[in-house]
């Protein structure tokens, strides 16, 4: 996993990622766009699987998103996955200037509209009439045309039960949240994906489970210390979101989000991180020696994850290559 880089740098990162032994690179979206980074990476490291994880959906029309995904699927020879999500109201409304009402149903309609656009690129006929998106016009000039690859898979970010059921019903995969520890996955992700898949006559096995894992790895306490603080800060950032409070509460850490938000409103970033105890970290991250990490991750996520995403493989100099060795062991297993 990486945040998008300046375009002059992403090609080198893609080559290093492939050389290190990773099967793919997952691109989040922050101040830089995931799609442009994916385009450069596709040409710099042919054969590397690429995914947006996740790109913000609503600021782009379904057709614009579908067209970008289509070109990336062609550029990668069928190794691109489109990962999209809602973001939160403040970002969508106040930063992007777009509507956010009924985000769950809107995203459901969005996914179906994107898939209708994929069909239109092959057939020349666009037909989607949903609650939020109405698409029925395409001409040859504005049609990229068929490609020699399957349609891109469409994955969504989902946290709450409704969104997970929706993912099981209409998406090809789900991006589990980085604080989605195994208990949450067992209680919410798997049963709700299965319920949604049943609505569409599919098996839950048809839905990819893409799980980012925070890790603290090293052969000494000193080596692990820096990464532990990186994880602590990351967890405090995610944990301040009200919609995620139930994940902490159900794991036995009631009130974590309220305490984090109190520090956040005061602008106390260090105080936020201090709210994440070593007990939080033990429950939500995986700590290990280098030799033991692949086995530790397999014990936690084997038989559950379709893909494991190493959240902090870029946490320090030389660590990408060491994490790449872990990735190769996981893939081989």
């Amino acid at each position: 996993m990486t945040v998008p880089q300046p375009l002059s740098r992403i090609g080198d990162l893609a080559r290093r990622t492939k050389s290190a032994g990773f099967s793919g690179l997952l691109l989040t979206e922050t101040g830089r766009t995931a799609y442009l980074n994916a385009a450069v990476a596709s040409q710099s490291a042919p054969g590397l699987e690429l995914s947006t994880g996740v790109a913000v959906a609503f600021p782009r029309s379904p057709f614009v998103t579908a067209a970008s995904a289509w070109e990336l699927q062609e550029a990668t020879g069928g190794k691109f996955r489109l990962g999209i999500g809602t973001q939160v109201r403040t970002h969508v409304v106040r930063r992007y200037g777009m509507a956010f009402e009924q985000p769950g149903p809107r995203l459901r309609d969005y996914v179906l509209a994107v898939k209708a656009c994929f069909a239109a690129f092959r057939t020349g006929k666009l037909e989607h009439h949903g609650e939020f998106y109405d698409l029925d016009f395409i001409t040859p000039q504005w049609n990229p045309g068929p490609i020699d690859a399957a349609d891109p898979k469409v994955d969504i970010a989902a946290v709450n039960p409704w969104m997970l059921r929706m993912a099981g019903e209409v998406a090809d995969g789900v991006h589990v949240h980085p604080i989605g520890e195994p208990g949450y996955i067992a209680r919410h992700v798997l049963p709700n994906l299965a319920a949604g898949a049943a609505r569409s006559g599919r098996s839950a096995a048809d839905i990819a489970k893409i799980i980012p894992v925070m890790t603290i790895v090293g052969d000494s306490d000193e080596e692990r210390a820096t990464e532990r603080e990186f994880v602590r800060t990351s967890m405090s950032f995610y944990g301040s979101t009200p919609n995620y409070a139930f994940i902490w509460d159900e794991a036995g850490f009631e009130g974590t989000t309220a305490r984090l938000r109190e520090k956040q409103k005061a602008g106390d970033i260090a105080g936020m991180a201090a709210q994440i105890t070593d007990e939080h970290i033990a429950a939500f991250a995986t700590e290990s020696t280098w030799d033991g990490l692949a086995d530790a991750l397999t014990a936690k996520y084997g038989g559950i994850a379709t893909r494991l995403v190493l959240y902090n493989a870029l946490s320090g100099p030389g660590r990408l290559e060491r994490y790449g060795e872990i990735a190769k062991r996981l893939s081989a297993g």
Side-chain angles (χ1 to χ4, degrees):
M1 177 184 284
T2 183
V3 296
Q5 306 288 315
L7 296 182
S8 61
R9 297 212 306 256
I10 190 61
D12 179 63
L13 177 58
R15 287 187 290 268
R16 286 179 57 211
T17 298
K18 183 179 178 181
S19 177
F22 287 92
S23 59
L25 183 64
L26 183 135
L27 297 150
T28 64
E29 186 161 75
T30 51
R32 299 176 184 271
T33 66
Y35 297 108
L36 285 175
N37 263 230
V40 174
S42 74
Q43 302 306 291
S44 303
L48 192 66
E49 298 178 36
L50 300 172
S51 173
T52 53
V54 295
V56 186
F58 301 150
R60 303 174 174 98
S61 79
F63 192 100
V64 169
T65 292
S68 297
W70 198 250
E71 289 188 77
L72 288 166
Q73 181 75 328
E74 182 179 44
T76 59
K79 293 183 177 294
F80 175 74
R81 293 185 78 102
L82 173 64
I84 53 177
T86 64
Q87 245 296 347
V88 296
R89 179 182 296 277
T90 298
H91 280 277
V92 173
V93 175
R94 295 175 56 192
R95 179 157 66 96
Y96 289 113
M98 303 298 290
F100 192 73
E101 289 71 27
Q102 301 180 67
R106 184 182 294 271
L107 187 63
R108 180 185 186 279
D109 194 28
Y110 194 103
V111 170
L112 295 174
V114 166
K115 292 189 173 188
C117 291
F118 291 160
F121 298 160
R122 295 194 187 277
T123 66
K125 182 174 176 59
L126 177 58
E127 201 71 44
H128 174 79
H129 302 287
E131 183 179 359
F132 299 92
Y133 301 99
D134 218 3
L135 310 175
D136 61 7
F137 180 76
I138 191 170
T139 65
Q141 181 182 5
W142 297 100
N143 188 345
I147 58 176
D148 292 330
D151 293 359
K153 300 295 186 184
V154 183
D155 309 317
I156 68 165
V159 174
N160 68 47
W162 191 96
M163 290 287 277
L164 289 163
R165 289 192 295 274
M166 186 269 280
E169 181 186 5
V170 303
D172 299 302
V174 62
H175 287 267
V176 175
H177 196 276
I179 61 168
E181 49 85 34
Y184 160 78
I185 293 171
R187 288 188 300 272
H188 294 287
V189 176
L190 299 181
N192 282 298
L193 284 180
R199 292 178 184 172
S200 297
R202 298 192 291 174
S203 164
D206 297 332
I207 316 302
K209 277 73 73 176
I210 302 161
I211 303 177
V213 291
M214 293 187 186
T215 51
I216 300 164
V217 60
D219 293 329
S220 67
D221 288 339
E222 291 76 16
E223 187 180 2
R224 294 192 292 271
T226 298
E227 201 161 46
R228 184 178 295 108
E229 296 315 305
F230 172 84
V231 166
R232 194 185 310 275
T233 299
S234 298
M235 286 185 179
S236 72
F237 166 73
Y238 289 124
S240 65
T241 302
N243 287 349
Y244 309 155
F246 76 97
I247 299 178
W248 298 111
D249 293 348
E250 291 182 1
F253 301 101
E254 292 186 15
T256 294
T257 295
R259 292 190 292 272
L260 288 169
R261 286 181 64 76
E262 182 180 356
K263 298 295 183 182
Q264 185 182 52
K265 290 175 181 177
D268 185 1
I269 304 303
M272 288 178 65
Q275 298 304 310
I276 303 300
T277 66
D278 288 346
E279 288 73 23
H280 284 93
I281 291 173
F284 285 85
T286 301
E287 184 163 351
S288 176
T289 62
W290 285 108
D291 283 346
L293 182 59
D295 288 342
L297 290 172
T298 299
K300 271 190 177 182
Y301 302 104
I304 299 172
T306 308
R307 292 180 172 210
L308 283 182
V309 180
L310 294 177
Y311 181 91
N312 42 308
L314 295 170
S315 58
R319 294 179 80 82
L320 176 68
E321 287 70 26
R322 296 206 72 175
Y323 270 112
E325 292 300 319
I326 305 301
K328 285 190 285 189
R329 289 177 59 187
L330 290 168
S331 294

